[in-house]
Amino acid sequence: MEKNEIEIIRKVPCVILSGMSILPNVLIHFDLDDERSVAAVNAAMLDAQEIFLATVKTEEEEKDEAELKEDDLHQIGTLAKIRQVIKMPGHVVRIMIETLERGRLIKFAEEEKYRVVEVKTFTEAEVNDVEDIKAEAMRRDIEELFAEFISFFPRVGKAFGKQFEEIKVLSELMDAVIANMPLEYDKKQMVLEAVPCSERYEKVKEILRQEVEVARIRSELAEKVQGKVDEDHKDYILRQQMQYIREELGEKSAEDEADKYERECQKLDASDEVKQRISKEIDRFRNTPSGSSESGVEQLYIETLLEMPWNKKSVENKSLDHAKDILEKDHYGLEKVKERMLEFLAVKNLTESGQSPIILLVGPPGTGKTSIAKSIAKALGRKYIRIALGGVRDEAEIRGHRKTYVGAMPGVIASGLQHAGVSNPLVLLDEVDKVSSEYQGATASALLEVLDSEQNKFFRDHYIEIPIDLSDVLFIATANTTQSIPAPLLDRMEVVEVSSYTDNEKFHIAKDHLIKKQIKKNGLKASNLKISDAAIRGIIESYTREAGVRSLERRIGEICRKTARIVYTGEKKSVSVSPKNLESYLGKAKYLPEDKAGTDSVGIVRGLAWTAVGGVTLEIEVNTMPGKGSMMLTGQLGDVMKESAQAALSYVRSICSDYGVKTDYFHKHDFHLHIPEGAVPKDGPSAGVTMATALFSAVTCSKVRADIAMTGEITLRGRVLPIGGLKEKLLAAKNAGMKTVLIPEKNRPDLLEISDEITGGMDIKCVKEMAEVLNFAIVKMPKRVIVHT
């Protein structure tokens, strides 16, 4: 930041330091646990990210921060820019700052949850008060003294030497020299308060001379002591000298921390390789100056390694009966999913290696995918970790950042194991299909190793750097669709579909689970609220429209909140909800039953579509009008649906001459195909047969049955190809009151797996060709005209 040419007084949040002074042009991190200081940092992050660092005078250090006045602080402090904020355990905040320039504390501006101060910055003339030639001479003098100092302290020279050679500005050089020397904070504060370069030069020069002289004397003493002792005592004396030096430099606490880490390393349940690596890092930590940034990085790295559960495992419950009881208790329906989960657990118990397939639960939102994973963790007695992958943008969030970077931390996998405290938890990779597409390739590549049982035994996190064994981790992933999951990643997982709930399943889930859950959540007792069966069905039909039960639970929660207010005010002791008074609790019905076409119509056909929240019906409308043979498509259709419409038109043109339509009809008429609810984007090929039927009906003026719905992809030759989401589509048809549904012949195996609860009351026809579709759908087929050529 360039120095200002005029005096500037600004208001910034203030962080008060005790026993610590920080000079400008330094990148440093430290911890804060005081509420006012943390509040100041939070306020700064919401504004310009600038704070003012002021140090308490030695005689005032015993005072509480709230009692401090302007006179209790050193008037010269440092303006700094916050670069990073990390929340640590125990309400501690670790901040990384870049100090900018000196500032003079004018006064406390206002008292809130944190201190705001008025600060005056210094002009260029106030700081650089010496001529260029004289400044160059001073700079060289400081360089020579500091070079002599680092000859006694090579670690300081190694850490700061390269940076030292690159600094050519006198004021910055003096600040950097003092910042990197192991000095008491009062000496650093003295240099901080020396604003003009001439005054600062005298103080820095005097400090350097004193420190060089002390170092020379200690070196001479060390040589004399070493010459007088035997080899047996050499190690002891060296350690005593090191301890003495560290005490003089204020580094005794670092030595204590290193000893504590050594003891924890010895107790750690880990391989010899891991223990040797941790011991090596502890030795490096001992030899790092405690005030340097490297010391903090090294300390955090050692603590992370010690907290990892290398060989620590939880005891598993292998009883399938126990697992079945929990799944039945926690979930209604989903019989195939439960059966697959129990098979999955049986295989895991039988395999000697303990490895098992990685399951991907795919289904609409609110169908219980996440809760199934939680129930399995509960059944096995394993720790449960949920990792949300929605929006994860690059592989560093999976593999971690290399610890050489500022603010580096482990990836989500290693962090999850660290928090779980065991090496065999159940890890739920939630919303694996929502990984950000911008960097999806790199993120998916990182997940490939995690989810491959042949590779994850030696998973390497960039921050940890030591291979982590993930083979005992039970991975379960969830997704709403498999279309956005890269093929190599999908290939490593076994897909289990969690389909939409029927209205009857929703009724039982609400009655057996949701109502009890919401009554407890809202502080009620079972005697305070009664919801009749008819009212539950009314909520499902008129107030929710979803594949899962999240909205249903919210509506029940809304009733419980209103009941809680009635009970709390003493208006009533209990509330009964029935269809008659349901509207008074939830308001007007939000969803009306789907329109059922009353009469057979020309050019209007009911199609079936799949969405992320379940199946829906679509009315496709076609109009013909005089024109030049163009086709207009409206209703926010995607590219695939537009191509399907063109294929449908080509098929209709190829057969209409057989039904008495003149060959020039398609050159003299325009066609407008529209799908209502134009604000909703639509795509996919499964509406092909519906569009072809609507076009044929409009061209031949033939009516289509109002009680028929259909789905299927069409080819140019009129073949009907299979589609997906059959259960959801049939459920939508049933809710819309359809009597006949046409589906592709190749979907017949899927039909056999759908319960009678959905298919009952509907005549489901499997078709291979478009001609069959027209025969079923058209009320009265026009006569075919045989044309001889």
Side-chain angles (χ1 to χ4, degrees):
M1 182 176 178
E2 298 182 358
K3 297 291 188 295
N4 302 311
E5 295 301 331
I6 58 172
E7 292 184 357
I8 296 177
I9 295 178
R10 62 179 78 176
K11 291 183 179 181
V12 290
C14 177
V15 172
I16 297 177
L17 306 176
S18 178
M20 180 181 182
S21 291
I22 303 176
L23 290 153
N25 302 309
V26 173
L27 190 66
I28 190 172
H29 67 80
F30 53 87
D31 295 346
L32 298 172
D33 57 3
D34 180 74
E35 291 183 2
R36 295 170 70 86
S37 297
V38 172
V41 170
N42 291 335
M45 291 301 292
L46 295 175
D47 194 7
Q49 300 183 0
E50 288 191 351
I51 57 173
F52 183 69
L53 306 175
T55 305
V56 184
K57 293 178 180 178
T58 306
E59 60 272 16
E60 307 295 342
E61 286 183 353
E62 298 300 323
K63 284 188 178 181
D64 186 75
E65 184 178 333
E67 301 174 358
L68 294 173
K69 307 297 182 185
E70 290 93 337
D71 295 336
D72 299 330
L73 307 177
H74 290 286
Q75 298 305 296
I76 303 298
T78 311
L79 274 168
K81 189 91 171 179
I82 302 174
R83 293 302 183 193
Q84 190 178 41
V85 178
I86 301 175
K87 291 185 179 180
M88 306 292 289
H91 304 290
V92 175
V93 171
R94 177 168 293 171
I95 65 169
M96 174 169 285
I97 60 168
E98 179 185 357
T99 52
L100 304 175
E101 58 180 318
R102 289 170 171 80
R104 183 184 298 279
L105 173 62
I106 305 299
K107 64 176 181 177
F108 291 153
E110 49 191 285
E111 291 286 342
E112 296 181 6
K113 293 182 179 179
Y114 57 91
R115 291 195 189 278
V116 177
V117 295
E118 288 188 4
V119 178
K120 168 190 170 295
T121 56
F122 299 98
T123 63
E124 180 75 18
E126 289 177 307
V127 175
N128 295 319
D129 62 340
V130 293
E131 298 176 356
D132 292 343
I133 296 177
K134 187 175 180 181
E136 180 62 19
M138 290 177 172
R139 187 183 68 79
R140 294 184 183 182
D141 192 16
I142 294 296
E143 281 184 348
E144 291 176 2
L145 282 170
F146 188 67
E148 188 175 358
F149 172 81
I150 62 178
S151 67
F152 293 102
F153 297 94
R155 289 194 304 275
V156 175
K158 186 176 180 182
F160 178 59
K162 194 170 182 181
Q163 181 185 353
F164 170 73
E165 294 173 0
E166 295 174 354
I167 301 176
K168 301 301 181 184
V169 180
L170 175 61
S171 61
E172 293 180 5
L173 177 66
M174 291 188 290
D175 286 345
V177 165
I178 297 301
N180 284 273
M181 290 177 66
L183 300 172
E184 297 82 6
Y185 91 91
D186 54 347
K187 288 185 178 180
K188 292 187 177 182
Q189 182 64 37
M190 180 176 67
V191 174
L192 183 64
E193 293 180 353
V195 177
C197 279
S198 56
E199 179 186 348
R200 200 184 318 167
Y201 166 76
E202 296 298 334
K203 294 185 184 299
V204 172
K205 185 176 179 180
E206 181 61 28
I207 290 171
L208 278 170
R209 282 178 175 171
Q210 288 179 0
E211 292 299 318
V212 168
E213 188 63 27
V214 170
R216 183 182 292 113
I217 293 171
R218 285 181 176 172
S219 179
E220 292 172 357
L221 288 173
E223 291 176 1
K224 291 178 182 179
V225 171
Q226 187 175 5
K228 293 179 182 179
V229 297
D230 297 327
E231 285 296 326
D232 294 340
H233 295 88
K234 182 179 179 180
D235 185 63
Y236 172 77
I237 296 299
L238 287 174
R239 289 189 180 279
Q240 291 298 311
Q241 284 184 338
M242 185 179 292
Q243 183 178 351
Y244 172 72
I245 292 170
R246 289 187 183 277
E247 287 176 0
E248 291 297 315
L249 295 176
E251 297 182 8
K252 185 176 180 181
S253 60
E255 182 69 21
D256 294 341
E257 287 289 334
D259 292 339
K260 184 183 78 172
Y261 293 151
E262 284 283 7
R263 292 191 296 271
E264 291 180 6
C265 180
Q266 292 172 4
K267 297 177 184 177
L268 192 65
D269 184 8
S271 64
D272 292 338
E273 178 191 357
V274 173
K275 289 186 176 182
Q276 288 172 7
R277 177 59 185 272
I278 296 175
S279 296
K280 183 179 177 182
E281 296 297 332
I282 292 172
D283 291 339
R284 186 178 297 169
F285 173 65
R286 287 184 192 275
N287 298 321
T288 305
S290 63
S292 66
S293 59
E294 289 86 353
S295 176
V297 171
E298 195 66 44
Q299 186 174 8
L300 186 61
Y301 180 59
I302 293 170
E303 289 175 356
T304 303
L305 293 182
L306 290 171
E307 289 173 3
M308 290 296 293
W310 299 102
N311 292 337
K312 186 179 178 182
K313 298 180 181 179
S314 57
V315 180
E316 240 183 271
N317 186 336
K318 295 188 176 183
S319 170
L320 285 188
D321 291 336
H322 175 68
K324 184 177 180 181
D325 290 343
I326 288 179
L327 288 174
E328 291 292 344
K329 180 182 177 183
D330 293 348
H331 299 86
Y332 177 86
L334 304 177
E335 298 303 329
K336 291 188 178 297
V337 178
K338 291 177 186 175
E339 184 180 343
R340 184 63 192 89
M341 289 295 104
L342 292 173
E343 291 170 0
F344 169 70
L345 297 178
V347 170
K348 186 165 191 340
N349 290 341
L350 286 174
T351 52
E352 294 180 3
S353 63
Q355 294 180 355
S356 55
I358 292 156
I359 295 294
L360 172 63
L361 301 174
V362 179
T367 51
K369 300 183 296 296
T370 303
S371 62
I372 285 174
K374 195 177 292 185
S375 295
I376 293 172
K378 181 180 174 184
L380 293 175
R382 290 196 180 204
K383 293 289 185 69
Y384 170 77
I385 301 170
R386 176 182 172 270
I387 296 175
L389 294 178
V392 171
R393 298 189 302 167
D394 62 61
E395 68 161 334
E397 297 190 51
I398 305 295
R399 291 183 180 272
H401 303 77
R402 300 191 186 278
K403 69 176 189 293
T404 52
Y405 294 112
V406 174
M409 59 184 68
V412 291
I413 303 295
S415 294
L417 294 178
Q418 181 183 356
H419 292 136
V422 291
S423 62
N424 64 337
L426 184 147
V427 174
L428 175 68
L429 301 174
D430 210 6
E431 309 292 358
V432 74
D433 59 326
K434 304 294 191 305
V435 172
S436 176
S437 59
E438 186 177 353
Y439 297 94
Q440 188 171 1
T443 310
S445 299
L447 285 172
L448 289 178
E449 183 183 358
V450 174
L451 298 178
D452 192 328
S453 57
E454 298 299 324
Q455 300 180 40
N456 64 12
K457 189 174 179 64
F458 302 101
F459 173 72
R460 189 177 289 272
D461 184 275
H462 288 161
Y463 182 83
I464 302 294
E465 294 182 345
I466 305 172
I468 302 171
D469 185 1
L470 299 180
S471 60
D472 289 327
V473 177
L474 182 56
F475 287 104
I476 295 180
T478 70
N480 294 133
T481 176
T482 57
Q483 293 178 358
S484 56
I485 301 175
L489 184 60
L490 185 62
D491 184 56
R492 282 166 167 76
M493 299 182 284
E494 185 171 333
V495 177
V496 175
E497 293 207 9
V498 184
S499 54
S500 306
Y501 290 121
T502 64
D503 285 355
N504 186 50
E505 287 174 332
K506 290 180 183 179
F507 169 78
H508 286 287
I509 291 170
K511 188 173 182 179
D512 298 339
H513 298 280
L514 302 184
I515 293 176
K516 295 175 183 177
K517 178 181 175 182
Q518 286 298 320
I519 284 175
K520 183 178 180 181
K521 184 177 179 180
N522 288 278
L524 297 171
K525 297 179 181 177
S527 59
N528 296 138
L529 177 63
K530 300 291 182 185
I531 304 178
S532 69
D533 292 354
I536 296 173
R537 296 190 187 278
I539 298 171
I540 294 168
E541 293 169 3
S542 303
Y543 293 89
T544 64
R545 185 64 56 84
E546 58 177 344
V549 291
R550 285 205 183 115
S551 292
L552 176 58
E553 184 174 1
R554 282 193 287 269
R555 299 289 82 79
I556 293 171
E558 192 175 338
I559 293 173
C560 289
R561 289 194 299 274
K562 286 181 167 57
T563 303
R565 179 180 177 183
I566 293 170
V567 172
Y568 183 74
T569 55
E571 187 178 337
K572 291 181 182 178
K573 289 186 178 181
S574 65
V575 170
S576 295
V577 180
S578 65
K580 293 181 179 179
N581 62 357
L582 186 60
E583 190 174 307
S584 63
Y585 290 95
L586 297 179
K588 294 288 185 182
K590 292 178 174 56
Y591 301 99
L592 298 176
E594 288 203 44
D595 294 334
K596 300 176 176 61
T599 57
D600 303 335
S601 305
V602 173
I604 300 177
V605 185
R606 185 80 63 131
L608 300 173
W610 179 92
T611 70
V613 294
V616 294
T617 63
L618 296 174
E619 272 196 349
I620 295 180
E621 302 176 344
V622 173
N623 264 353
T624 61
M625 61 210 85
K628 297 180 180 180
S630 64
M631 185 174 184
M632 185 188 306
L633 303 171
T634 57
Q636 273 212 69
L637 310 188
D639 292 338
V640 176
M641 187 170 267
K642 288 178 180 178
E643 291 175 359
S644 189
Q646 291 294 339
L649 180 61
S650 296
Y651 170 74
V652 171
R653 288 184 65 178
S654 70
I655 67 167
C656 273
S657 60
D658 295 344
Y659 295 93
V661 179
K662 295 181 179 180
T663 55
D664 61 351
Y665 180 91
F666 292 94
H667 298 291
K668 295 182 179 180
H669 289 80
D670 288 343
F671 304 91
H672 186 168
L673 187 149
H674 176 68
I675 302 180
E677 297 186 34
V680 181
K682 308 167 190 72
D683 206 356
S686 65
V689 296
T690 316
M691 291 188 283
T693 304
L695 285 165
F696 181 85
S697 169
V699 171
T700 61
C701 294
S702 305
K703 291 185 177 182
V704 180
R705 289 173 53 189
D707 61 353
I708 194 169
M710 60 189 70
T711 181
E713 182 179 352
I714 189 177
T715 69
L716 285 174
R717 295 289 186 174
R719 290 182 293 122
V720 180
L721 302 184
I723 46 83
L726 183 62
K727 178 181 176 182
E728 287 78 9
K729 291 178 178 179
L730 291 179
L731 189 57
K734 185 178 182 67
N735 292 336
M738 296 293 105
K739 294 181 180 178
T740 304
V741 180
L742 306 182
I743 66 171
E745 175 66 34
K746 291 185 178 179
N747 282 110
R748 188 183 291 274
D750 300 326
L751 182 62
L752 299 176
E753 295 182 1
I754 298 174
S755 67
D756 293 339
E757 183 184 343
I758 295 175
T759 59
M762 293 190 297
D763 184 13
I764 300 175
K765 305 287 188 183
C766 297
V767 294
K768 293 181 181 179
E769 302 286 340
M770 191 63 210
E772 298 176 61
V773 175
L774 296 176
N775 286 329
F776 284 123
I778 302 298
V779 176
K780 185 178 180 181
M781 281 289 289
K783 291 183 179 180
R784 296 196 63 170
V785 177
I786 300 175
V787 180
H788 297 282
T789 58

